[in-house]
Amino acid sequence: MEYKLENPVRISTKSPHESLYRWFVEELDPVTKKISPNYVPWGWSLYFDATALTVVRSLEFETDKTSDVNEHIHGRLTPQTSDRRAAASYSFFGTNRKIESFTLRIVKSKDDKESFHVFGSPSYEHEWDFENLLQSDTVEVEVVLPASRFERIASFIESGNPKAVVTLGGVHGLYSEWSPSIRTTDIKILANLKDQKVATEGAAEVDPPVLGKIGSFSFRLLKGEGATGKTEDDDAEADPPSIFEERPVSPAPSIDLSTLEKRLSKLTVPLWIAVGLLVVGLFMR
């Protein structure tokens, strides 16, 4: 299998800022001249819109074996492009190509265990049925859920077309230029040292993270008029008071009984006169 790589990659321990990072990954041109910044592991959160969510339920048979039911949710991931997210661009080390294929796969566990990982590979050619096919650069996030949790999400997706947002944090194998900011516009991905031909001479003691582990994963499904896809840390107006919210009851005003009696006594004669006139009026009709 031949991976489509364009630039040599190596790990260097010649850090110009040892107090910030001891080693880094760099890309070179064919004559080993450095052509990239110093890339170090990136641990902050990254944001994706999840679209085309589909629930797949399949039944499979094989000779002399019992039937097997497999269930999963499949969708496409697109890096969020709002200014607040800084619209990060992703590529594999050794390539200049922007990654276009991000996918999400949520699998129903058969042993009620749960896990989440991320996998990926630079583009490569492979043979299928005597034909050479090109596999594009791809990254896939896979989440395995117990049956009850999987069904809650699957039923929500099957009942409509929700907006969805995925947030990944502390993903192993993601690198960017060092910065004090929590945002970046350039992410390089290290999936496999051997496949990407990463030179480690002089850096044998370094064990660079590669794709696999995820520090945190968030999958938010939204429906309704307010489903904008914004995450919790977005600026938002305060929610209006709920009609079910308990409100303090104002105390009833105090009443002066003596004053009330005096007012009623003054109304006694006019009230009797009014009643008499009403009775006369009824008989005169």
Side-chain angles (χ1 to χ4, degrees):
M1 186 181 298
E2 187 67 25
Y3 291 93
K4 300 297 182 179
L5 303 175
E6 299 153 350
N7 306 315
V9 182
R10 74 181 175 192
I11 296 173
S12 174
T13 56
K14 298 178 181 179
S15 173
H17 308 287
E18 290 193 1
S19 61
L20 299 176
Y21 53 89
R22 187 173 57 85
W23 59 271
F24 58 90
V25 184
E26 60 184 355
E27 292 183 305
L28 314 169
D29 65 11
V31 294
T32 68
K33 179 181 178 181
K34 183 174 178 175
I35 59 173
S36 77
N38 298 340
Y39 288 103
V40 295
W42 178 262
W44 298 104
S45 294
L46 298 165
Y47 304 86
F48 299 82
D49 292 317
T51 58
L53 294 170
T54 305
V55 180
V56 180
R57 305 179 191 269
S58 62
L59 174 64
E60 300 175 5
F61 278 95
E62 287 188 32
T63 304
D64 299 329
K65 293 184 179 180
T66 58
S67 61
D68 189 20
V69 175
N70 294 299
E71 300 172 75
H72 72 274
I73 297 166
H74 186 271
R76 290 196 299 268
L77 295 178
T78 304
Q80 288 194 346
T81 57
S82 66
D83 292 339
R84 183 171 175 77
R85 298 300 175 214
S89 177
Y90 298 77
S91 61
F92 281 100
F93 274 114
T95 78
N96 299 316
R97 301 181 300 271
K98 181 180 178 180
I99 299 175
E100 303 290 347
S101 177
F102 292 88
T103 57
L104 172 67
R105 179 180 171 89
I106 302 176
V107 181
K108 184 175 180 179
S109 174
K110 295 185 178 181
D111 55 10
D112 272 349
K113 293 182 179 180
E114 60 184 12
S115 62
F116 51 91
H117 299 84
V118 59
F119 308 97
S121 171
S123 176
Y124 62 88
E125 281 190 0
H126 62 101
E127 183 181 330
W128 185 81
D129 195 22
F130 304 104
E131 181 181 2
N132 287 331
L133 301 178
L134 180 65
Q135 172 64 49
S136 62
D137 301 314
T138 184
V139 174
E140 179 171 280
V141 178
E142 181 180 271
V143 181
V144 180
L145 291 179
S148 59
R149 295 183 183 180
F150 175 88
E151 288 299 337
R152 288 176 62 185
I153 295 176
S155 61
F156 194 82
I157 294 173
E158 290 176 323
S159 65
N161 186 27
K163 293 181 178 294
V165 176
V166 169
T167 304
L168 303 177
V171 182
H172 285 211
L174 268 56
Y175 294 74
S176 187
E177 190 174 0
W178 188 91
S179 169
S181 174
I182 63 172
R183 302 189 184 107
T184 181
T185 58
D186 178 27
I187 292 286
K188 280 288 187 178
I189 299 179
L190 187 58
N192 186 288
L193 294 175
K194 182 179 178 181
D195 293 345
Q196 291 172 263
K197 300 179 180 178
V198 179
T200 59
E201 292 82 358
E205 73 281 8
V206 178
D207 185 19
V210 296
L211 279 186
K213 296 181 180 180
I214 304 176
S216 64
F217 171 86
S218 171
F219 180 53
R220 301 174 67 239
L221 291 165
L222 306 97
K223 283 185 180 179
E225 294 181 0
T228 62
K230 289 185 177 181
T231 55
E232 293 177 358
D233 59 351
D234 284 330
D235 295 330
E237 296 181 0
D239 294 334
S242 169
I243 61 174
F244 301 106
E245 180 180 329
E246 293 186 3
R247 294 176 173 81
V249 179
S250 300
S254 59
I255 300 175
D256 187 344
L257 293 178
S258 61
T259 303
L260 181 61
E261 289 177 355
K262 290 180 182 180
R263 291 180 179 178
L264 289 175
S265 65
K266 293 180 180 179
L267 292 175
T268 302
V269 175
L271 285 173
W272 278 112
I273 294 174
V275 172
L277 291 174
L278 178 61
V279 172
V280 171
L282 291 174
F283 280 101
M284 292 294 293
R285 289 183 180 179

